Amino acid sequence: MMGRGRLTLRRSLPARPGALVVMEGSDLPDPIAREARRQFERSSVAVIPSLGLHPANLLVVLKPPAGDAPEALTRAWGAAGRKLVAEGVTRATAVVPENAAPDNARPLVLGLGRALYRFERYQENPSPLPKVGLVSPSPAWSRQARAAFAVLEGVLLTRDLVNTPAEDMGPAELEAAARDVARSTGMKIRVLSAARCRKMGMGALTAVGRASTREPRMIVLEHRGRPRERGFFAFAGKGIVFDTGGLDLKPPAGMLLMKKDMGGAATVLGAALALGGLKVRHNLRFYLAVAENAVAGNAIRPGDVITALDGTTIEIANTDAEGRLVLADAIALAVREGAHHVLDAATLTGAAMIALGRIRVPMMANRDDFAARLEAAADRAGERVWRLPMDPEYRDQVRSKIAVLKNVGKGREAGTIAAGVFLEHFAAGRPWAHLDISPASWSDSAGDLGPEGATGTMVPTLTSLIEAL
Ligand code: BES
Ligand code: MN
Ligand code: ZN
């Protein structure tokens, strides 16, 4: 789709580099170095016309970030990419510092690559975006850069899927995207139709999706990186292609952006593309629980009781708490098939925005070591999570009088945690973790790492997590 292939690797500086992106400290003509220092007083990126002092026609000079935390480096290169777009540059060369550690390839590629992304499927005149050649200092650096391209592909796929309006990104289109990922990575794919899901007993997924003319389905991708082992690490993603709220209808302002409610599934699919591209040596499965939460005469009603795949009965206290229902079946299926870990990603609660805003992604886990590994993976990936508690009292919130569970907690109390402990039930004691990406998966304004819209958050973190297993 859009935005790919803007970055390539080069071994040397071309005679005509177009715009040149460099870190301060590389040898630059004196007047340019002086001008860069002057601009650094108000910005971390200096933009300087070369005026014949250099073969490049424009110089973009980066102030080296304090420390070498992946996140700071990512942002620095993102800011550079943003300047290139703002200046209307179409061809640029970025010189990677001679002494750059191979570890820096990922922040550089993910910073620059995300900044250069635009979603222009419906635009008449696509913007003239830059193509950037990266001058690599070493074969080891190039190797890491190629790995970073795989992660970038995953992030950009997630962005494209989430940015696409629900009209053009229904269950069938999401399935087509999953088939593309399976084809390009060599993974196996199974698509369980609505009829099949019903027969198997996935009463939660099929109940949520039944009021839509676009049928729900469960999509499963399999990566066999250790063919001789049977267990696997499972990802589960909430794939609500549009969330009207159901009979508990959302007000207009709350419904407007609900095309993004398949963000969890898109994140899991982006991670599949990245991990498949990296050919990681682990067994992985990716479960996408796909449905449209629509309104019709056959819609589920508040007060109904449904039965999930594992036999758990669920009282539907609110039809707008549908994400945890479809994920219940996805997590239960992963457990039934033999997952040794389950990690789900979902645009699950509005309360996540109240708790942490868009800065940190709320994370929950039923094991301390799993949570710690996820935190470390986020650090390496330049992303941020924050663990929420799971005291037993929170679990009482989702107990029902008529069924085993109910799908909402206690009014406005700890809404993100209530949703999390609901999901935990279906992991049946297996190591489980959950990311509520509802705020961070969408940016409400342009920034250094891309335009307003889908962010692809957590694709790098999920990838780093598996790479470090
Ligand atoms: N998809 C929404 C959560 C959401 C809200 C994501 C805003 C992104 C932005 C989810 O299905 C939902 O509606 N949750 C309800 C749960 C409530 C009824 C317990 C919510 O958060 O209001
Ligand atoms: Mn909802
Ligand atoms: Zn939803």
Side-chain angles (χ1 to χ4, degrees):
M1 281 200 231
M2 296 122 261
R4 313 283 202 291
R6 309 215 148 274
L7 303 180
T8 48
L9 284 168
R10 315 187 39 106
R11 269 186 299 195
S12 60
L13 194 65
R16 313 213 129 271
L20 190 73
V21 187
V22 289
M23 274 276 183
E24 192 197 23
S26 31
D27 85 87
L28 290 169
D30 240 15
I32 290 176
R34 229 176 305 121
E35 171 61 14
R37 277 194 298 279
R38 204 183 60 79
Q39 291 190 25
F40 287 158
E41 275 160 35
R42 44 190 175 75
S43 161
S44 58
V45 187
V47 181
I48 307 162
S50 71
L51 302 174
L53 292 170
H54 195 282
N57 43 37
L58 187 75
L59 288 128
V60 175
V61 187
L62 295 189
K63 184 156 131 189
D68 57 359
E71 188 179 1
L73 260 157
T74 307
R75 291 208 174 268
W77 286 94
R82 187 184 194 184
K83 290 278 195 230
L84 292 178
V85 179
E87 296 289 328
V89 167
T90 54
R91 210 168 59 80
T93 306
V95 179
V96 180
E98 270 311 314
N99 57 355
D103 277 359
N104 289 351
R106 215 167 276 200
L108 190 156
V109 166
L110 285 174
L112 212 45
R114 278 183 286 193
L116 304 183
Y117 171 86
R118 293 292 181 275
F119 180 71
E120 302 195 307
R121 177 164 168 177
Y122 304 98
Q123 301 289 346
E124 263 187 345
N125 304 304
S127 13
L129 293 169
K131 287 201 186 279
V132 185
L134 307 176
V135 181
S136 166
S138 67
W141 199 92
S142 296
R143 243 186 332 275
Q144 287 304 312
R146 264 181 234 108
F149 290 161
V151 185
L152 179 63
E153 291 287 309
V155 173
L156 301 188
L157 171 65
T158 302
R159 284 185 177 185
D160 277 344
L161 297 176
V162 173
N163 281 329
T164 304
E167 171 75 356
D168 291 330
M169 192 48 64
E173 289 83 2
L174 206 46
E175 175 183 330
R179 289 192 186 281
D180 283 346
V181 169
R183 202 170 311 118
S184 70
T185 57
M187 290 189 201
K188 237 172 70 188
I189 181 167
R190 269 183 288 155
V191 178
L192 309 177
S193 67
R196 181 95 188 84
C197 290
R198 225 171 286 122
K199 240 179 257 146
M200 287 174 69
M202 290 188 223
L205 174 70
T206 54
V208 169
R210 77 188 188 201
S212 173
T213 52
R214 307 194 290 180
E215 295 222 312
R217 64 205 70 188
M218 183 72 75
I219 302 170
V220 189
L221 286 117
E222 282 185 47
H223 173 81
R224 294 187 59 86
R226 289 193 191 188
R228 299 166 62 180
E229 278 173 32
R230 297 188 58 213
F232 57 88
F233 188 109
F235 293 95
K238 169 179 172 181
I240 297 296
V241 297
F242 194 78
D243 184 9
T244 66
L247 292 178
D248 286 306
L249 197 66
K250 285 184 184 295
M255 200 189 301
L256 181 61
L257 276 175
M258 279 303 135
K259 67 174 183 184
K260 69 177 176 178
D261 214 20
M262 33 59 80
T267 301
V268 165
L269 199 54
L273 183 61
L275 289 160
L278 291 170
K279 303 198 187 326
V280 294
R281 297 173 105 111
H282 295 286
N283 290 342
L284 309 170
R285 287 193 196 180
F286 305 86
Y287 294 83
L288 316 185
V290 181
E292 176 160 24
N293 190 19
V295 187
N298 64 342
I300 45 168
R301 315 155 193 86
D304 282 350
V305 173
I306 59 174
T307 306
L309 178 66
D310 68 350
T312 303
T313 52
I314 304 167
E315 174 193 357
I316 297 174
N318 190 317
T319 63
D320 198 9
E322 83 298 337
R324 63 199 78 179
L325 299 176
V326 302
L327 277 174
D329 279 342
I331 295 170
L333 182 62
V335 168
R336 173 189 284 192
E337 293 187 344
H340 51 63
H341 284 76
V342 184
L343 192 162
D344 75 74
T347 51
L348 207 59
T349 65
M353 181 66 105
I354 308 298
L356 301 180
R358 294 190 204 276
I359 313 297
R360 277 183 185 266
V361 171
M363 179 258 288
M364 294 171 67
N366 62 359
R367 297 283 196 294
D368 291 346
D369 62 329
F370 196 0
R373 279 192 292 160
L374 206 42
E375 280 162 351
D379 271 350
R380 289 193 302 277
E383 298 190 306
R384 288 181 268 181
V385 299
W386 191 258
R387 190 179 183 186
L388 298 181
M390 286 206 309
D391 305 80
E393 289 87 340
Y394 290 114
R395 297 193 182 107
D396 299 339
Q397 287 200 27
V398 292
R399 267 195 202 117
S400 164
K401 290 193 182 118
I402 189 173
V404 177
L405 292 178
K406 68 176 156 76
N407 73 336
V408 299
K410 234 173 116 191
R412 296 162 55 82
E413 290 179 32
T416 301
I417 300 177
V421 296
F422 179 94
L423 295 179
E424 182 209 5
H425 174 92
F426 298 90
R430 302 282 167 92
W432 159 88
H434 158 64
L435 294 167
D436 192 335
I437 59 169
S438 46
S441 64
W442 190 266
S443 159
D444 60 356
S445 59
D448 288 344
L449 295 180
E452 180 182 333
T455 61
T457 185
M458 293 293 118
V459 171
T461 295
L462 299 189
T463 308
S464 293
L465 175 77
I466 298 302
E467 288 179 285
L469 279 187

